[in-house]
Every structure is written in structure tokens, then in C-alpha cells.
Coordinates of all heavy atoms in Angstrom, one line a residue:
A14 N 93.8 103.9 71.7 CA 94.6 104.5 70.6 C 93.6 105.4 69.8 O 94.0 106.5 69.4 CB 95.2 103.4 69.7
A15 N 92.4 104.9 69.5 CA 91.5 105.7 68.7 C 91.0 106.9 69.5 O 90.9 108.0 68.9 CB 90.2 104.8 68.4
E16 N 90.8 106.8 70.8 CA 90.4 107.9 71.6 C 91.4 109.0 71.7 O 91.2 110.2 71.8 CB 90.0 107.4 73.0 CG 88.7 106.5 73.0 CD 88.5 105.9 74.3 OE1 89.3 106.1 75.3 OE2 87.4 105.3 74.5
A17 N 92.7 108.5 71.6 CA 93.8 109.5 71.6 C 94.1 110.2 70.3 O 94.8 111.2 70.2 CB 95.1 108.8 72.1
G18 N 93.5 109.7 69.2 CA 93.6 110.3 67.9 C 94.5 109.6 67.0 O 94.8 110.2 65.9
L19 N 95.1 108.5 67.3 CA 95.9 107.7 66.4 C 95.2 107.3 65.2 O 94.0 106.9 65.3 CB 96.6 106.5 67.1 CG 97.9 106.8 67.9 CD1 98.2 105.6 68.8 CD2 99.0 107.1 67.0
Q20 N 95.8 107.3 64.0 CA 95.1 106.9 62.8 C 96.0 106.0 62.0 O 97.2 105.9 62.2 CB 94.8 108.2 61.9 CG 93.9 109.2 62.5 CD 93.6 110.4 61.6 OE1 94.0 110.4 60.5 NE2 93.0 111.4 62.2
L21 N 95.4 105.3 61.0 CA 96.1 104.4 60.2 C 97.2 105.1 59.4 O 97.0 106.1 58.8 CB 95.1 103.8 59.1 CG 95.7 102.8 58.1 CD1 96.1 101.5 58.8 CD2 94.6 102.6 57.0
G22 N 98.4 104.5 59.5 CA 99.6 105.1 58.8 C 100.4 106.0 59.7 O 101.5 106.4 59.3
D23 N 100.0 106.3 60.9 CA 100.8 107.1 61.8 C 102.0 106.4 62.2 O 102.0 105.2 62.4 CB 100.0 107.5 63.0 CG 98.9 108.5 62.8 OD1 98.9 109.1 61.7 OD2 98.1 108.7 63.7
R24 N 103.2 107.1 62.3 CA 104.4 106.5 62.8 C 104.7 107.0 64.2 O 104.9 108.1 64.5 CB 105.6 106.9 61.8 CG 106.9 106.4 62.3 CD 108.0 106.9 61.4 NE 107.9 106.4 60.0 CZ 108.3 105.2 59.6 NH1 108.9 104.4 60.4 NH2 108.1 104.8 58.3
I25 N 104.7 106.0 65.1 CA 105.0 106.3 66.5 C 106.5 106.4 66.6 O 107.3 105.5 66.3 CB 104.5 105.2 67.4 CG1 102.9 105.1 67.3 CG2 104.9 105.5 68.9 CD1 102.3 104.0 68.0
V26 N 107.0 107.6 67.1 CA 108.5 107.8 67.2 C 109.0 107.7 68.6 O 110.2 107.4 68.8 CB 108.8 109.2 66.6 CG1 108.4 109.3 65.1 CG2 108.0 110.3 67.4
S27 N 108.2 107.8 69.6 CA 108.7 107.6 71.0 C 107.5 107.3 71.9 O 106.4 107.7 71.7 CB 109.5 108.8 71.5 OG 108.6 109.9 71.7
I28 N 107.9 106.6 73.0 CA 106.9 106.3 74.1 C 107.6 106.5 75.4 O 108.7 105.9 75.6 CB 106.4 104.8 74.0 CG1 105.7 104.6 72.6 CG2 105.5 104.5 75.1 CD1 105.3 103.1 72.5
A29 N 107.0 107.3 76.2 CA 107.6 107.6 77.5 C 109.0 108.1 77.4 O 109.9 107.8 78.2 CB 107.6 106.4 78.5
G30 N 109.3 108.9 76.4 CA 110.6 109.5 76.1 C 111.6 108.6 75.5 O 112.8 109.0 75.2
Q31 N 111.2 107.3 75.2 CA 112.2 106.4 74.6 C 111.9 106.3 73.1 O 110.8 106.0 72.7 CB 112.0 105.0 75.3 CG 113.0 104.0 74.8 CD 112.9 102.7 75.6 OE1 112.6 102.7 76.8 NE2 113.2 101.6 74.9
E32 N 112.9 106.5 72.3 CA 112.8 106.4 70.9 C 112.3 105.0 70.5 O 112.8 104.0 71.0 CB 114.1 106.7 70.2 CG 114.0 106.7 68.7 CD 115.4 106.9 68.0 OE1 116.4 106.7 68.6 OE2 115.3 107.3 66.8
V33 N 111.4 105.0 69.5 CA 110.8 103.7 69.0 C 111.0 103.7 67.5 O 110.5 104.6 66.8 CB 109.3 103.6 69.4 CG1 108.7 102.4 68.7 CG2 109.1 103.5 70.9
L34 N 111.6 102.6 67.0 CA 111.8 102.4 65.6 C 111.1 101.2 65.1 O 110.7 101.1 63.9 CB 113.3 102.3 65.2 CG 114.2 103.5 65.5 CD1 115.6 103.2 65.3 CD2 113.8 104.7 64.7
F35 N 110.9 100.2 65.9 CA 110.4 98.9 65.5 C 109.1 98.6 66.3 O 108.9 99.0 67.4 CB 111.4 97.8 65.7 CG 112.7 98.0 65.0 CD1 113.8 98.6 65.5 CD2 112.8 97.5 63.7 CE1 114.9 98.7 64.8 CE2 113.9 97.7 62.9 CZ 115.0 98.3 63.5
W36 N 108.3 97.8 65.6 CA 107.0 97.4 66.2 C 107.2 96.6 67.5 O 106.4 96.8 68.5 CB 106.2 96.5 65.2 CG 104.8 96.1 65.7 CD1 104.5 95.0 66.3 CD2 103.7 96.9 65.6 NE1 103.2 95.0 66.6 CE2 102.6 96.2 66.2 CE3 103.4 98.2 65.1 CZ2 101.3 96.6 66.3 CZ3 102.1 98.6 65.2 CH2 101.0 97.9 65.8
E37 N 108.2 95.8 67.6 CA 108.4 95.0 68.8 C 108.8 95.9 70.0 O 108.5 95.6 71.1 CB 109.5 94.0 68.6 CG 109.1 92.8 67.7 CD 107.9 92.1 68.2 OE1 107.9 91.7 69.4 OE2 106.9 91.9 67.5
E38 N 109.5 97.0 69.7 CA 109.8 97.9 70.8 C 108.6 98.6 71.3 O 108.4 98.8 72.5 CB 110.8 99.0 70.2 CG 112.2 98.5 69.9 CD 113.0 99.6 69.3 OE1 112.5 100.3 68.4 OE2 114.2 99.7 69.7
L39 N 107.7 98.9 70.4 CA 106.4 99.5 70.7 C 105.6 98.6 71.6 O 105.1 99.0 72.7 CB 105.7 99.9 69.4 CG 104.3 100.5 69.4 CD1 104.1 101.2 68.1 CD2 103.2 99.5 69.7
T40 N 105.4 97.4 71.2 CA 104.5 96.5 72.0 C 105.2 96.1 73.3 O 104.4 95.9 74.3 CB 104.3 95.2 71.2 OG1 105.5 94.6 70.8 CG2 103.5 95.5 69.9
S41 N 106.5 96.0 73.3 CA 107.2 95.7 74.6 C 106.9 96.8 75.6 O 106.6 96.5 76.8 CB 108.7 95.5 74.4 OG 109.3 95.3 75.6
L42 N 107.0 98.1 75.2 CA 106.8 99.2 76.1 C 105.3 99.2 76.6 O 105.1 99.5 77.8 CB 107.2 100.5 75.5 CG 108.7 100.7 75.3 CD1 108.9 101.9 74.4 CD2 109.3 101.0 76.6
I43 N 104.4 98.9 75.7 CA 103.0 98.9 76.1 C 102.7 97.8 77.1 O 102.0 97.9 78.1 CB 102.1 98.7 74.9 CG1 102.2 100.0 74.0 CG2 100.6 98.5 75.3 CD1 101.5 99.9 72.7
Q44 N 103.3 96.6 76.8 CA 103.1 95.4 77.7 C 103.6 95.6 79.1 O 103.1 95.1 80.0 CB 103.7 94.2 77.0 CG 103.4 92.9 77.7 CD 102.0 92.6 77.9 OE1 101.5 92.2 78.9 NE2 101.2 92.9 76.8
T45 N 104.8 96.3 79.2 CA 105.4 96.5 80.5 C 104.8 97.8 81.2 O 105.3 98.1 82.3 CB 106.9 96.6 80.4 OG1 107.2 97.7 79.5 CG2 107.5 95.3 79.8
S46 N 103.8 98.4 80.7 CA 103.3 99.6 81.3 C 102.5 99.4 82.5 O 102.4 100.2 83.4 CB 102.5 100.4 80.2 OG 101.3 99.7 80.0
G47 N 101.9 98.2 82.5 CA 101.0 97.9 83.7 C 99.8 98.7 83.7 O 99.1 98.8 84.8
G48 N 99.4 99.4 82.6 CA 98.2 100.2 82.6 C 98.4 101.6 82.9 O 97.5 102.4 82.9
R49 N 99.6 102.0 83.3 CA 99.8 103.4 83.6 C 99.9 104.3 82.3 O 100.3 103.8 81.3 CB 101.1 103.6 84.4 CG 102.4 103.4 83.6 CD 103.6 103.6 84.5 NE 104.9 103.4 83.8 CZ 105.4 102.3 83.4 NH1 104.9 101.2 83.8 NH2 106.6 102.3 82.8
P50 N 99.5 105.5 82.4 CA 99.5 106.4 81.2 C 100.9 106.5 80.6 O 101.8 106.8 81.4 CB 98.9 107.7 81.7 CG 98.2 107.3 82.9 CD 98.9 106.2 83.5
L51 N 101.0 106.4 79.3 CA 102.3 106.5 78.6 C 102.3 107.7 77.7 O 101.3 107.8 76.9 CB 102.7 105.3 77.9 CG 102.9 104.0 78.7 CD1 103.1 102.8 77.7 CD2 104.1 104.2 79.6
P52 N 103.3 108.6 77.7 CA 103.3 109.7 76.7 C 103.7 109.2 75.4 O 104.8 108.7 75.2 CB 104.4 110.7 77.3 CG 104.6 110.2 78.7 CD 104.3 108.8 78.8
F53 N 102.8 109.3 74.4 CA 103.1 108.9 73.0 C 103.4 110.1 72.2 O 102.8 111.1 72.3 CB 101.9 108.1 72.4 CG 101.8 106.7 72.7 CD1 101.6 106.2 74.0 CD2 102.0 105.7 71.7 CE1 101.5 104.9 74.3 CE2 101.9 104.4 72.0 CZ 101.7 104.0 73.3
V54 N 104.4 109.9 71.2 CA 104.7 110.9 70.2 C 104.6 110.2 68.9 O 105.3 109.2 68.7 CB 106.0 111.6 70.4 CG1 106.3 112.6 69.3 CG2 106.1 112.3 71.8
W55 N 103.8 110.8 67.9 CA 103.8 110.2 66.6 C 103.7 111.3 65.5 O 103.5 112.4 65.8 CB 102.6 109.2 66.5 CG 101.2 109.9 66.6 CD1 100.5 110.3 65.5 CD2 100.4 110.2 67.8 NE1 99.3 110.8 66.0 CE2 99.2 110.7 67.4 CE3 100.6 110.0 69.1 CZ2 98.2 111.1 68.3 CZ3 99.7 110.3 70.0 CH2 98.5 110.9 69.6

């Protein structure tokens, strides 16, 4: 996250084209990624 430029207070709005509103949605998508690169928008 730090290497990609994410900073404290940033709001992640989508991951892999899927809208993200809640923290649990965010962690679920990361956990099911299996390590493949995910497009983040914040």
C-alpha cells in the first residue's frame, strides 16, 4: 500500500472495478485476491 502511494485518510472507492463502501468489503476482496495484482481507485 505504501509503495503504491496510499496515505492515511485516503478513501478507497473501488477494487478491481467493484465499488467499495465498507472496510469489510475491502478486506474481503484483498483476501480473495490470491496475490494477483488488483486495480485500486482511491
Side-chain angles (χ1 to χ4, degrees):
E16 293 175 353
L19 275 167
Q20 297 180 12
L21 179 68
D23 288 351
R24 179 183 295 275
I25 299 173
V26 296
S27 72
I28 300 176
Q31 183 172 330
E32 183 184 18
V33 173
L34 296 175
F35 300 94
W36 183 264
E37 289 301 311
E38 293 176 313
L39 181 158
T40 56
S41 177
L42 288 170
I43 294 173
Q44 186 56 223
T45 57
S46 69
R49 68 181 185 278
L51 294 175
F53 275 68
V54 178
W55 67 93

